[in-house]
Amino acid sequence: MSVLRRIRDITMATLNEKLEQSQDPVKLIDQFLHSTRQDILEAEKLQQQCESHTRHLKQQVVQADSMRSKREEQALLALKAGEDHLAKLALQEKLIYEEKIEQYQELLTTSHEALREVEVQLGELRMEYQSAYSKRQYYAARMETLRLQQRMNGRSGGYPGQDVPRMFNRLEDRITDWELEAKSLRDIRRTDHQGTSQSEGISSMLERELARLKQKLSDSGKE
């Protein structure tokens, strides 16, 4: 685990730098999260093994201590019965169990320390995972914001809303031109109609005047 800790320290130290340089930070964080999950699983497995080993050592110490007390009681009973030889045998076994207690107690202390170290490192790994997961959410949000901005920028040159005033201005100009053209044609037709009416009126007057003069001449001839 100590080697794993040094490796992970290097990884965490360079993660932020890699994130700023990466073209796809979310993918990089996903890789880191996957690696961290594997490390957490290994650490949890190691923690379980350490706990099991610690329980076994503690059981050995308890059993050895029980046997030591038992042999001491047997030695006392042998002495009371005048069996010094049996008392010595019981005391020899008592010393063996005392040595075993001392040995296993040292192993138990070492195992407790290892278990605490594993628990601390497991907690650090879980914190690293949570921190990296939070970074993933942040960078994913930044990437989505950037993607939407790029889409907006890509459409900014031809976005219909920006051409609406210009479009209506052009339409207004075209309609005005059509209206002027229609008015001009109407004026021309009206002028032509008036000219025709005036010509017809003059012609009618001339015909009447001509008829009047002819009638006058006819009346003068009769006289």
Short mmCIF file of all heavy atoms in Angstrom, two decimals, residues 64-123:
data_model
loop_
_atom_site.label_atom_id
_atom_site.label_comp_id
_atom_site.label_asym_id
_atom_site.label_seq_id
_atom_site.Cartn_x
_atom_site.Cartn_y
_atom_site.Cartn_z
N ALA A 64 -3.67 -18.43 24.13
CA ALA A 64 -2.39 -18.63 24.83
C ALA A 64 -2.48 -18.14 26.27
O ALA A 64 -1.94 -18.77 27.20
CB ALA A 64 -1.28 -17.90 24.07
N ASP A 65 -3.17 -17.01 26.46
CA ASP A 65 -3.32 -16.48 27.82
C ASP A 65 -4.17 -17.42 28.67
O ASP A 65 -3.89 -17.64 29.87
CB ASP A 65 -3.98 -15.10 27.76
CG ASP A 65 -4.08 -14.45 29.12
OD1 ASP A 65 -3.02 -14.21 29.74
OD2 ASP A 65 -5.21 -14.20 29.56
N SER A 66 -5.21 -18.01 28.06
CA SER A 66 -6.05 -18.97 28.79
C SER A 66 -5.24 -20.20 29.18
O SER A 66 -5.35 -20.70 30.32
CB SER A 66 -7.25 -19.37 27.91
OG SER A 66 -8.01 -20.36 28.54
N MET A 67 -4.41 -20.70 28.25
CA MET A 67 -3.59 -21.87 28.52
C MET A 67 -2.52 -21.56 29.57
O MET A 67 -2.19 -22.40 30.42
CB MET A 67 -2.95 -22.38 27.24
CG MET A 67 -3.93 -22.95 26.24
SD MET A 67 -4.91 -24.32 26.92
CE MET A 67 -3.62 -25.53 27.24
N ARG A 68 -1.99 -20.36 29.54
CA ARG A 68 -1.00 -19.98 30.56
C ARG A 68 -1.62 -20.02 31.95
O ARG A 68 -1.03 -20.56 32.91
CB ARG A 68 -0.47 -18.58 30.25
CG ARG A 68 0.55 -18.09 31.28
CD ARG A 68 0.93 -16.64 31.04
NE ARG A 68 -0.24 -15.75 31.17
CZ ARG A 68 -0.18 -14.43 31.04
NH1 ARG A 68 0.98 -13.85 30.73
NH2 ARG A 68 -1.27 -13.69 31.18
N SER A 69 -2.83 -19.45 32.08
CA SER A 69 -3.51 -19.45 33.38
C SER A 69 -3.83 -20.88 33.82
O SER A 69 -3.71 -21.24 35.00
CB SER A 69 -4.81 -18.63 33.29
OG SER A 69 -4.53 -17.29 32.96
N LYS A 70 -4.24 -21.68 32.87
CA LYS A 70 -4.58 -23.07 33.18
C LYS A 70 -3.37 -23.85 33.67
O LYS A 70 -3.45 -24.60 34.65
CB LYS A 70 -5.16 -23.73 31.93
CG LYS A 70 -5.67 -25.14 32.16
CD LYS A 70 -6.34 -25.69 30.91
CE LYS A 70 -6.85 -27.09 31.15
NZ LYS A 70 -7.52 -27.65 29.95
N ARG A 71 -2.21 -23.67 32.98
CA ARG A 71 -1.00 -24.39 33.40
C ARG A 71 -0.52 -23.91 34.77
O ARG A 71 0.01 -24.70 35.57
CB ARG A 71 0.10 -24.18 32.36
CG ARG A 71 -0.19 -24.87 31.03
CD ARG A 71 -0.20 -26.40 31.22
NE ARG A 71 -0.41 -27.09 29.96
CZ ARG A 71 -1.59 -27.54 29.54
NH1 ARG A 71 -2.67 -27.36 30.30
NH2 ARG A 71 -1.70 -28.16 28.40
N GLU A 72 -0.71 -22.64 35.05
CA GLU A 72 -0.31 -22.14 36.36
C GLU A 72 -1.18 -22.77 37.45
O GLU A 72 -0.68 -23.14 38.54
CB GLU A 72 -0.43 -20.62 36.41
CG GLU A 72 0.07 -20.02 37.74
CD GLU A 72 0.13 -18.50 37.71
OE1 GLU A 72 -0.10 -17.92 36.63
OE2 GLU A 72 0.41 -17.90 38.76
N GLU A 73 -2.45 -22.88 37.22
CA GLU A 73 -3.34 -23.53 38.18
C GLU A 73 -2.96 -25.01 38.37
O GLU A 73 -2.97 -25.53 39.50
CB GLU A 73 -4.79 -23.43 37.70
CG GLU A 73 -5.35 -22.02 37.74
CD GLU A 73 -6.75 -21.95 37.15
OE1 GLU A 73 -7.26 -23.03 36.73
OE2 GLU A 73 -7.33 -20.85 37.12
N GLN A 74 -2.61 -25.65 37.25
CA GLN A 74 -2.19 -27.05 37.34
C GLN A 74 -0.90 -27.20 38.15
O GLN A 74 -0.72 -28.16 38.91
CB GLN A 74 -2.00 -27.63 35.94
CG GLN A 74 -3.30 -27.82 35.19
CD GLN A 74 -3.08 -28.27 33.74
OE1 GLN A 74 -1.98 -28.16 33.22
NE2 GLN A 74 -4.16 -28.76 33.11
N ALA A 75 0.02 -26.24 37.96
CA ALA A 75 1.27 -26.28 38.73
C ALA A 75 0.99 -26.14 40.23
O ALA A 75 1.61 -26.82 41.07
CB ALA A 75 2.21 -25.17 38.24
N LEU A 76 0.06 -25.24 40.59
CA LEU A 76 -0.30 -25.05 42.00
C LEU A 76 -0.92 -26.32 42.58
O LEU A 76 -0.60 -26.73 43.71
CB LEU A 76 -1.27 -23.88 42.14
CG LEU A 76 -0.69 -22.48 41.91
CD1 LEU A 76 -1.80 -21.42 41.92
CD2 LEU A 76 0.34 -22.16 43.00
N LEU A 77 -1.80 -26.96 41.82
CA LEU A 77 -2.43 -28.20 42.27
C LEU A 77 -1.39 -29.30 42.45
O LEU A 77 -1.44 -30.09 43.42
CB LEU A 77 -3.50 -28.65 41.27
CG LEU A 77 -4.76 -27.77 41.20
CD1 LEU A 77 -5.68 -28.25 40.07
CD2 LEU A 77 -5.49 -27.80 42.54
N ALA A 78 -0.41 -29.37 41.53
CA ALA A 78 0.65 -30.39 41.62
C ALA A 78 1.50 -30.16 42.85
O ALA A 78 1.91 -31.11 43.54
CB ALA A 78 1.50 -30.37 40.34
N LEU A 79 1.82 -28.89 43.15
CA LEU A 79 2.62 -28.59 44.34
C LEU A 79 1.86 -28.97 45.62
O LEU A 79 2.45 -29.49 46.58
CB LEU A 79 2.98 -27.10 44.37
CG LEU A 79 4.04 -26.64 43.37
CD1 LEU A 79 4.21 -25.13 43.43
CD2 LEU A 79 5.39 -27.34 43.66
N LYS A 80 0.54 -28.67 45.61
CA LYS A 80 -0.25 -29.03 46.80
C LYS A 80 -0.28 -30.54 47.00
O LYS A 80 -0.34 -31.02 48.12
CB LYS A 80 -1.68 -28.49 46.63
CG LYS A 80 -1.79 -26.99 46.74
CD LYS A 80 -3.23 -26.54 46.56
CE LYS A 80 -3.35 -25.02 46.65
NZ LYS A 80 -4.75 -24.56 46.46
N ALA A 81 -0.25 -31.24 45.88
CA ALA A 81 -0.28 -32.71 45.96
C ALA A 81 1.11 -33.28 46.16
O ALA A 81 1.27 -34.50 46.26
CB ALA A 81 -0.89 -33.29 44.69
N GLY A 82 2.15 -32.44 46.25
CA GLY A 82 3.51 -32.91 46.45
C GLY A 82 4.13 -33.45 45.19
O GLY A 82 5.16 -34.13 45.24
N GLU A 83 3.54 -33.16 44.05
CA GLU A 83 4.06 -33.64 42.78
C GLU A 83 4.90 -32.54 42.14
O GLU A 83 4.48 -31.83 41.22
CB GLU A 83 2.90 -34.03 41.84
CG GLU A 83 2.01 -35.12 42.37
CD GLU A 83 2.70 -36.48 42.34
OE1 GLU A 83 3.72 -36.62 41.61
OE2 GLU A 83 2.21 -37.39 43.00
N ASP A 84 6.11 -32.37 42.63
CA ASP A 84 6.97 -31.30 42.13
C ASP A 84 7.32 -31.50 40.64
O ASP A 84 7.44 -30.53 39.89
CB ASP A 84 8.27 -31.24 42.95
CG ASP A 84 8.02 -30.78 44.38
OD1 ASP A 84 6.87 -30.37 44.68
OD2 ASP A 84 8.96 -30.79 45.17
N HIS A 85 7.49 -32.73 40.24
CA HIS A 85 7.86 -33.00 38.86
C HIS A 85 6.75 -32.54 37.91
O HIS A 85 7.02 -31.87 36.88
CB HIS A 85 8.12 -34.50 38.67
CG HIS A 85 8.41 -34.86 37.24
ND1 HIS A 85 9.54 -34.46 36.58
CD2 HIS A 85 7.68 -35.60 36.34
CE1 HIS A 85 9.52 -34.92 35.34
NE2 HIS A 85 8.40 -35.64 35.17
N LEU A 86 5.49 -32.86 38.27
CA LEU A 86 4.36 -32.42 37.44
C LEU A 86 4.21 -30.90 37.45
O LEU A 86 3.83 -30.29 36.45
CB LEU A 86 3.06 -33.08 37.92
CG LEU A 86 2.98 -34.60 37.75
CD1 LEU A 86 1.68 -35.13 38.34
CD2 LEU A 86 3.08 -34.94 36.26
N ALA A 87 4.55 -30.32 38.63
CA ALA A 87 4.47 -28.86 38.74
C ALA A 87 5.45 -28.21 37.80
O ALA A 87 5.16 -27.21 37.14
CB ALA A 87 4.72 -28.43 40.17
N LYS A 88 6.67 -28.77 37.71
CA LYS A 88 7.67 -28.22 36.80
C LYS A 88 7.23 -28.33 35.34
O LYS A 88 7.42 -27.41 34.55
CB LYS A 88 9.00 -28.93 37.01
CG LYS A 88 9.69 -28.58 38.31
CD LYS A 88 11.03 -29.30 38.42
CE LYS A 88 11.74 -28.96 39.72
NZ LYS A 88 13.05 -29.65 39.85
N LEU A 89 6.65 -29.48 35.01
CA LEU A 89 6.18 -29.65 33.62
C LEU A 89 5.10 -28.61 33.28
O LEU A 89 5.11 -28.03 32.18
CB LEU A 89 5.63 -31.06 33.44
CG LEU A 89 6.65 -32.20 33.47
CD1 LEU A 89 5.95 -33.56 33.38
CD2 LEU A 89 7.66 -32.03 32.34
N ALA A 90 4.20 -28.38 34.21
CA ALA A 90 3.13 -27.41 33.98
C ALA A 90 3.71 -26.00 33.85
O ALA A 90 3.29 -25.20 33.00
CB ALA A 90 2.12 -27.45 35.11
N LEU A 91 4.72 -25.68 34.69
CA LEU A 91 5.34 -24.36 34.62
C LEU A 91 6.13 -24.17 33.32
O LEU A 91 6.19 -23.06 32.78
CB LEU A 91 6.25 -24.15 35.83
CG LEU A 91 5.53 -23.98 37.18
CD1 LEU A 91 6.55 -23.92 38.33
CD2 LEU A 91 4.67 -22.72 37.17
N GLN A 92 6.73 -25.24 32.83
CA GLN A 92 7.44 -25.15 31.54
C GLN A 92 6.45 -24.79 30.40
O GLN A 92 6.75 -23.95 29.55
CB GLN A 92 8.13 -26.47 31.24
CG GLN A 92 9.38 -26.73 32.08
CD GLN A 92 10.03 -28.08 31.78
OE1 GLN A 92 9.47 -28.91 31.05
NE2 GLN A 92 11.18 -28.32 32.35
N GLU A 93 5.32 -25.45 30.42
CA GLU A 93 4.32 -25.14 29.40
C GLU A 93 3.78 -23.71 29.58
O GLU A 93 3.49 -23.01 28.60
CB GLU A 93 3.16 -26.13 29.47
CG GLU A 93 3.55 -27.53 28.98
CD GLU A 93 2.33 -28.41 28.77
OE1 GLU A 93 1.25 -27.86 28.43
OE2 GLU A 93 2.45 -29.63 28.95
N LYS A 94 3.68 -23.30 30.87
CA LYS A 94 3.25 -21.93 31.12
C LYS A 94 4.20 -20.94 30.50
O LYS A 94 3.79 -19.95 29.88
CB LYS A 94 3.15 -21.69 32.62
CG LYS A 94 2.79 -20.24 32.97
CD LYS A 94 2.95 -19.96 34.44
CE LYS A 94 2.78 -18.47 34.70
NZ LYS A 94 3.05 -18.10 36.11
N LEU A 95 5.51 -21.18 30.64
CA LEU A 95 6.51 -20.29 30.03
C LEU A 95 6.41 -20.29 28.50
O LEU A 95 6.60 -19.25 27.86
CB LEU A 95 7.90 -20.73 30.48
CG LEU A 95 8.23 -20.57 31.98
CD1 LEU A 95 9.62 -21.14 32.28
CD2 LEU A 95 8.16 -19.10 32.36
N ILE A 96 6.10 -21.46 27.94
CA ILE A 96 5.95 -21.53 26.47
C ILE A 96 4.77 -20.65 26.02
O ILE A 96 4.87 -19.90 25.04
CB ILE A 96 5.74 -22.99 26.03
CG1 ILE A 96 7.02 -23.80 26.27
CG2 ILE A 96 5.32 -23.05 24.56
CD1 ILE A 96 6.86 -25.30 26.01
N TYR A 97 3.68 -20.73 26.77
CA TYR A 97 2.50 -19.93 26.40
C TYR A 97 2.75 -18.43 26.64
O TYR A 97 2.24 -17.59 25.89
CB TYR A 97 1.28 -20.40 27.18
CG TYR A 97 0.69 -21.68 26.62
CD1 TYR A 97 0.70 -22.85 27.37
CD2 TYR A 97 0.16 -21.72 25.33
CE1 TYR A 97 0.18 -24.03 26.86
CE2 TYR A 97 -0.36 -22.91 24.81
CZ TYR A 97 -0.35 -24.05 25.57
OH TYR A 97 -0.86 -25.23 25.06
N GLU A 98 3.54 -18.11 27.66
CA GLU A 98 3.88 -16.71 27.88
C GLU A 98 4.71 -16.17 26.71
O GLU A 98 4.51 -15.03 26.27
CB GLU A 98 4.65 -16.56 29.19
CG GLU A 98 3.78 -16.70 30.43
CD GLU A 98 4.57 -16.52 31.71
OE1 GLU A 98 5.82 -16.53 31.64
OE2 GLU A 98 3.96 -16.37 32.77
N GLU A 99 5.65 -16.99 26.24
CA GLU A 99 6.44 -16.57 25.08
C GLU A 99 5.54 -16.42 23.84
O GLU A 99 5.70 -15.47 23.06
CB GLU A 99 7.53 -17.60 24.81
CG GLU A 99 8.43 -17.22 23.64
CD GLU A 99 9.51 -18.26 23.38
OE1 GLU A 99 9.48 -19.33 24.03
OE2 GLU A 99 10.38 -18.03 22.53
N LYS A 100 4.60 -17.34 23.71
CA LYS A 100 3.68 -17.26 22.58
C LYS A 100 2.83 -16.00 22.67
O LYS A 100 2.60 -15.31 21.65
CB LYS A 100 2.77 -18.50 22.56
CG LYS A 100 1.82 -18.53 21.37
CD LYS A 100 0.99 -19.81 21.37
CE LYS A 100 0.03 -19.83 20.18
NZ LYS A 100 -0.77 -21.07 20.15
N ILE A 101 2.39 -15.67 23.87
CA ILE A 101 1.60 -14.44 24.06
C ILE A 101 2.41 -13.22 23.64
O ILE A 101 1.92 -12.33 22.93
CB ILE A 101 1.16 -14.31 25.53
CG1 ILE A 101 0.11 -15.37 25.87
CG2 ILE A 101 0.59 -12.92 25.80
CD1 ILE A 101 -0.25 -15.42 27.35
N GLU A 102 3.67 -13.17 24.07
CA GLU A 102 4.53 -12.04 23.72
C GLU A 102 4.73 -11.95 22.21
O GLU A 102 4.65 -10.85 21.63
CB GLU A 102 5.88 -12.20 24.43
CG GLU A 102 6.82 -11.02 24.19
CD GLU A 102 8.14 -11.18 24.94
OE1 GLU A 102 8.26 -12.15 25.70
OE2 GLU A 102 9.03 -10.35 24.72
N GLN A 103 4.98 -13.07 21.57
CA GLN A 103 5.20 -13.08 20.13
C GLN A 103 3.94 -12.63 19.37
O GLN A 103 4.01 -11.78 18.47
CB GLN A 103 5.63 -14.48 19.68
CG GLN A 103 7.01 -14.88 20.18
CD GLN A 103 7.32 -16.35 19.87
OE1 GLN A 103 6.41 -17.15 19.60
NE2 GLN A 103 8.59 -16.70 19.92
N TYR A 104 2.84 -13.24 19.74
CA TYR A 104 1.60 -12.91 19.03
C TYR A 104 1.10 -11.50 19.36
O TYR A 104 0.43 -10.88 18.54
CB TYR A 104 0.52 -13.94 19.35
CG TYR A 104 0.60 -15.16 18.45
CD1 TYR A 104 1.46 -16.21 18.76
CD2 TYR A 104 -0.17 -15.26 17.30
CE1 TYR A 104 1.55 -17.33 17.94
CE2 TYR A 104 -0.09 -16.37 16.48
CZ TYR A 104 0.78 -17.40 16.80
OH TYR A 104 0.87 -18.50 15.98
N GLN A 105 1.46 -11.03 20.56
CA GLN A 105 1.07 -9.67 20.91
C GLN A 105 1.81 -8.67 20.02
O GLN A 105 1.23 -7.66 19.59
CB GLN A 105 1.38 -9.40 22.39
CG GLN A 105 0.79 -8.09 22.90
CD GLN A 105 -0.74 -8.09 22.86
OE1 GLN A 105 -1.37 -9.01 23.41
NE2 GLN A 105 -1.31 -7.09 22.23
N GLU A 106 3.08 -8.94 19.73
CA GLU A 106 3.84 -8.08 18.82
C GLU A 106 3.23 -8.12 17.42
O GLU A 106 3.08 -7.07 16.75
CB GLU A 106 5.30 -8.53 18.77
CG GLU A 106 6.07 -8.28 20.05
CD GLU A 106 7.51 -8.77 19.96
OE1 GLU A 106 7.87 -9.33 18.89
OE2 GLU A 106 8.25 -8.63 20.95
N LEU A 107 2.88 -9.34 16.97
CA LEU A 107 2.24 -9.46 15.65
C LEU A 107 0.89 -8.74 15.62
O LEU A 107 0.53 -8.10 14.61
CB LEU A 107 2.04 -10.94 15.30
CG LEU A 107 3.31 -11.75 15.05
CD1 LEU A 107 2.96 -13.22 14.82
CD2 LEU A 107 4.08 -11.20 13.84
N LEU A 108 0.17 -8.84 16.75
CA LEU A 108 -1.13 -8.19 16.82
C LEU A 108 -0.99 -6.67 16.75
O LEU A 108 -1.77 -5.99 16.08
CB LEU A 108 -1.85 -8.60 18.11
CG LEU A 108 -3.26 -8.05 18.30
CD1 LEU A 108 -4.17 -8.50 17.18
CD2 LEU A 108 -3.82 -8.49 19.66
N THR A 109 0.01 -6.15 17.44
CA THR A 109 0.27 -4.70 17.39
C THR A 109 0.59 -4.26 15.97
O THR A 109 0.07 -3.24 15.48
CB THR A 109 1.42 -4.33 18.34
OG1 THR A 109 1.08 -4.70 19.68
CG2 THR A 109 1.71 -2.84 18.29
N THR A 110 1.47 -5.02 15.30
CA THR A 110 1.83 -4.70 13.92
C THR A 110 0.61 -4.79 13.01
O THR A 110 0.42 -3.94 12.12
CB THR A 110 2.91 -5.66 13.41
OG1 THR A 110 4.06 -5.58 14.27
CG2 THR A 110 3.32 -5.31 11.99
N SER A 111 -0.21 -5.80 13.25
CA SER A 111 -1.40 -5.97 12.42
C SER A 111 -2.39 -4.82 12.63
O SER A 111 -3.02 -4.35 11.67
CB SER A 111 -2.08 -7.30 12.76
OG SER A 111 -3.19 -7.52 11.94
N HIS A 112 -2.54 -4.36 13.87
CA HIS A 112 -3.41 -3.21 14.15
C HIS A 112 -2.91 -1.97 13.41
O HIS A 112 -3.70 -1.20 12.84
CB HIS A 112 -3.47 -2.94 15.65
CG HIS A 112 -4.50 -3.78 16.38
ND1 HIS A 112 -5.82 -3.75 16.07
CD2 HIS A 112 -4.36 -4.66 17.40
CE1 HIS A 112 -6.49 -4.58 16.86
NE2 HIS A 112 -5.61 -5.15 17.69
N GLU A 113 -1.60 -1.76 13.43
CA GLU A 113 -1.03 -0.60 12.74
C GLU A 113 -1.27 -0.70 11.23
O GLU A 113 -1.62 0.31 10.59
CB GLU A 113 0.47 -0.52 13.03
CG GLU A 113 0.79 -0.18 14.47
CD GLU A 113 2.29 -0.22 14.75
OE1 GLU A 113 3.05 -0.62 13.83
OE2 GLU A 113 2.69 0.14 15.87
N ALA A 114 -1.08 -1.90 10.68
CA ALA A 114 -1.32 -2.09 9.25
C ALA A 114 -2.79 -1.86 8.92
O ALA A 114 -3.12 -1.26 7.88
CB ALA A 114 -0.90 -3.50 8.83
N LEU A 115 -3.68 -2.34 9.79
CA LEU A 115 -5.10 -2.16 9.56
C LEU A 115 -5.47 -0.68 9.60
O LEU A 115 -6.26 -0.21 8.74
CB LEU A 115 -5.90 -2.93 10.62
CG LEU A 115 -7.43 -2.83 10.52
CD1 LEU A 115 -7.91 -3.33 9.17
CD2 LEU A 115 -8.08 -3.62 11.67
N ARG A 116 -4.92 0.06 10.55
CA ARG A 116 -5.20 1.50 10.60
C ARG A 116 -4.68 2.20 9.35
O ARG A 116 -5.34 3.10 8.81
CB ARG A 116 -4.56 2.11 11.86
CG ARG A 116 -5.33 1.81 13.14
CD ARG A 116 -4.86 2.69 14.27
NE ARG A 116 -3.47 2.40 14.62
CZ ARG A 116 -3.09 1.52 15.53
NH1 ARG A 116 -4.01 0.80 16.18
NH2 ARG A 116 -1.82 1.34 15.81
N GLU A 117 -3.49 1.78 8.86
CA GLU A 117 -2.93 2.38 7.66
C GLU A 117 -3.82 2.11 6.45
O GLU A 117 -4.08 3.00 5.63
CB GLU A 117 -1.52 1.85 7.40
CG GLU A 117 -0.86 2.50 6.19
CD GLU A 117 0.54 1.98 5.97
OE1 GLU A 117 1.01 1.19 6.80
OE2 GLU A 117 1.15 2.36 4.96
N VAL A 118 -4.31 0.88 6.37
CA VAL A 118 -5.19 0.53 5.25
C VAL A 118 -6.48 1.35 5.32
O VAL A 118 -6.97 1.84 4.30
CB VAL A 118 -5.50 -0.98 5.27
CG1 VAL A 118 -6.59 -1.31 4.25
CG2 VAL A 118 -4.26 -1.79 4.97
N GLU A 119 -7.03 1.48 6.53
CA GLU A 119 -8.26 2.24 6.68
C GLU A 119 -8.06 3.71 6.30
O GLU A 119 -8.91 4.31 5.64
CB GLU A 119 -8.75 2.13 8.13
CG GLU A 119 -9.26 0.74 8.48
CD GLU A 119 -9.58 0.60 9.95
OE1 GLU A 119 -9.16 1.48 10.74
OE2 GLU A 119 -10.25 -0.39 10.33
N VAL A 120 -6.91 4.28 6.69
CA VAL A 120 -6.62 5.67 6.33
C VAL A 120 -6.49 5.82 4.82
O VAL A 120 -7.06 6.73 4.21
CB VAL A 120 -5.33 6.15 7.04
CG1 VAL A 120 -4.88 7.49 6.47
CG2 VAL A 120 -5.56 6.27 8.54
N GLN A 121 -5.74 4.90 4.22
CA GLN A 121 -5.54 4.98 2.77
C GLN A 121 -6.84 4.72 2.01
O GLN A 121 -7.09 5.34 0.97
CB GLN A 121 -4.46 4.00 2.35
CG GLN A 121 -3.08 4.37 2.89
CD GLN A 121 -1.99 3.45 2.38
OE1 GLN A 121 -2.18 2.77 1.37
NE2 GLN A 121 -0.87 3.43 3.06
N LEU A 122 -7.67 3.85 2.53
CA LEU A 122 -8.96 3.60 1.90
C LEU A 122 -9.83 4.85 1.97
O LEU A 122 -10.51 5.21 1.00
CB LEU A 122 -9.67 2.43 2.59
CG LEU A 122 -11.03 2.03 2.01
CD1 LEU A 122 -10.93 1.69 0.53
CD2 LEU A 122 -11.61 0.85 2.80
N GLY A 123 -9.78 5.53 3.11
CA GLY A 123 -10.52 6.79 3.24
C GLY A 123 -10.00 7.83 2.26
O GLY A 123 -10.78 8.58 1.66
#
